[in-house]
């Protein structure tokens, strides 16, 4: 009797596997037929079914799936079905989370729609996945030109200014300010000054996704990624102990351009003083 039950179970499992293979085969045929008729939406749906039923085929159908996705996305874009377009890319990235071509394509759609900060994130990820991907690098540099203000470059090359900030931060840290928050860190230069000056804990927040990613790269290039905690947040949204464990003893910032009014830096500094900065006794 036990042998009979085992045989029945194996037969049932074998039957399900045969049905799965048959459904996958038919869906692949249907997808190919739809592509021949330029019915990209239906073809995309068939490929989704195939990849969910047979993930072992991901490598085999990858290029055809990409082609189908991109063609369907073009149609959705032309029909202004923006949410459907994003949904398709989210589904695709769930299946191929480390595919630089899909990331780059998603970034291109976002850029055309005016979501430049979000586009930069996808271009940056594509370059990280494949540093030799020329299209993604060109796209990332193009969007960075829109997002990285020119005054960043001027300030970074102002040796007198940098030395003044460095000395001021060193004086504060040597006077006992061992925990530092850098508001609007940009490239992360003030945070690195604080760490090099001897601060025990350094936190930095940056609202721009592009500048946040840039700061991560700069900090990592200086081997400080484990010593400086970067937060992709507005300072007004920082919570204790959710984001930083306790109040800091020093706040540094250089948001002194038009952001003084547009970015709410005055409110940010008041917030930092009241909620994030240790009060003098």
């Amino acid at each position: 009797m036990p042998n009979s039950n085992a045989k029945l179970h194996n037969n049932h499992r074998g039957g399900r596997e045969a049905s799965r293979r048959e459904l996958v085969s038919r869906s692949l045929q249907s997808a190919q037929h739809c592509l021949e008729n330029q019915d990209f939406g239906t073809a995309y749906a068939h490929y989704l079914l195939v990849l969910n039923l047979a993930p072992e085929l991901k490598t085999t159908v990858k290029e055809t799936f990409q082609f189908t996705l991109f063609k369907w996305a073009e149609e959705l874009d032309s029909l202004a079905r923006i949410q459907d377009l994003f949904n398709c890319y989210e589904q695709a990235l769930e299946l191929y989370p480390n595919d630089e071509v899909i990331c780059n394509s998603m970034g291109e759609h976002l850029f055309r729609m005016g979501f430049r900060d979000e586009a930069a994130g996808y271009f940056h990820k594509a370059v990280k996945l494949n540093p030799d991907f020329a299209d993604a690098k060109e796209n990332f540099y193009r969007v960075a030109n829109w997002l990285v203000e020119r005054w960043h470059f001027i300030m970074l090359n102002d040796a007198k200014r940098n030395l003044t900030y460095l000395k001021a931060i060193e004086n504060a840290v040597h006077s006992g300010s061992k925990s530092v928050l850098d508001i609007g860190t940009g490239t992360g230069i003030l945070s690195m000054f604080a760490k090099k000056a001897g601060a025990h804990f350094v936190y930095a927040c940056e609202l721009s996704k592009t500048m946040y990613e840039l700061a991560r790269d700069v900090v990592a290039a200086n081997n400080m990624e484990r010593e400086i905690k970067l937060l992709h947040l507005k300072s007004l949204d920082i919570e204790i102990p959710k984001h930083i464990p306790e109040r800091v003893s020093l706040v540094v910032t250089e948001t002194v351009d038009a952001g003084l009014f547009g970015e709410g830096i005055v409110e940010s500094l008041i917030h930092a003083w009241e909620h994030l900065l240790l009060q003098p006794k």
Side-chain angles (χ1 to χ4, degrees):
M1 190 71 175
N3 288 336
S4 177
N5 287 338
K7 186 176 180 181
L8 224 95
H9 177 72
N10 288 335
N11 287 341
H12 180 63
R13 187 169 58 183
R16 283 189 303 175
E17 178 59 23
S19 297
R20 182 187 74 90
R21 287 199 300 267
E22 177 66 19
L23 182 55
V24 167
S25 176
R26 288 188 179 184
S27 293
L28 282 172
Q29 291 174 10
S30 297
Q32 189 59 44
H33 179 72
C34 290
L35 285 178
E36 291 169 1
N37 291 289
Q38 296 190 348
D39 183 358
F40 300 115
T42 307
Y44 174 77
H46 280 298
Y47 277 120
L48 278 185
L49 178 62
V50 168
L51 290 168
N52 279 289
L53 286 175
E56 67 273 12
L57 295 178
K58 281 185 179 181
T59 303
T60 306
V61 304
K62 180 179 177 179
E63 288 187 11
T64 312
F65 175 76
Q66 287 175 342
F67 172 80
T68 306
L69 168 67
F70 300 156
K71 286 295 185 181
W72 179 225
E74 286 176 9
E75 282 192 27
L76 291 172
D77 194 6
S78 68
L79 295 169
R81 293 172 55 183
I82 306 306
Q83 189 56 56
D84 289 335
L85 185 153
F86 288 152
N87 289 342
C88 286
Y89 273 97
E90 286 175 4
Q91 291 167 339
L93 286 170
E94 284 180 8
L95 292 166
Y96 296 97
N98 296 317
D99 189 289
E100 69 273 18
V101 178
I102 295 176
C103 285
N104 183 64
S105 181
M106 174 66 157
E108 288 176 338
H109 281 287
L110 287 165
F111 184 78
R112 282 196 296 271
M113 293 172 192
F115 301 107
R116 295 188 179 117
D117 212 17
E118 293 82 355
Y122 280 97
F123 293 145
H124 184 265
K125 182 178 179 181
V127 173
K128 282 287 190 182
L129 290 167
N130 182 2
D132 297 322
F133 189 6
D135 286 351
K137 285 198 290 187
E138 182 180 342
N139 283 332
F140 181 68
Y141 295 143
R142 178 163 56 112
V143 75
N145 283 332
W146 283 89
L147 295 172
V148 179
E149 300 288 351
R150 291 292 179 266
W151 48 261
H152 272 290
F153 303 106
I154 297 171
M155 289 193 304
L156 288 171
N157 287 284
D158 186 340
K160 183 177 179 180
R161 159 200 165 274
N162 292 339
L163 185 59
T164 301
Y165 267 99
L166 175 60
K167 287 182 177 178
I169 291 171
E170 284 179 341
N171 288 338
V173 171
H174 296 163
S175 297
S177 297
K178 298 301 183 181
S179 56
V180 180
L181 171 65
D182 180 5
I183 295 178
T185 192
T187 58
I189 188 170
L190 299 187
S191 295
M192 291 187 290
F193 283 171
K195 194 61 197 176
K196 286 182 178 179
H200 296 164
F201 307 102
V202 180
Y203 312 98
C205 63
E206 175 58 54
L207 180 59
S208 165
K209 178 69 172 175
T210 303
M211 295 308 300
Y212 167 74
E213 295 289 355
L214 179 60
R216 287 181 61 185
D217 287 345
V218 172
V219 168
N222 285 273
N223 299 313
M224 293 186 181
E225 65 269 32
R226 294 187 178 182
E227 300 175 322
I228 297 173
K229 183 176 180 178
L230 288 163
L231 303 167
H232 182 215
L233 288 171
K234 290 173 63 177
S235 64
L236 294 168
D237 295 331
I238 296 176
E239 298 177 17
I240 299 172
K242 182 179 179 181
H243 300 113
I244 61 177
E246 57 188 4
R247 293 187 178 196
V248 297
S249 51
L250 175 66
V251 169
V252 296
T253 188
E254 199 184 8
T255 316
V256 293
D257 67 316
L260 181 64
F261 306 102
E263 298 293 336
I265 191 61
V266 174
E267 290 84 354
S268 295
L269 290 174
I270 292 172
H271 171 77
W273 175 261
E274 293 178 344
H275 301 286
L276 305 174
L277 189 64
L278 287 172
Q279 301 295 317
K281 295 181 179 179

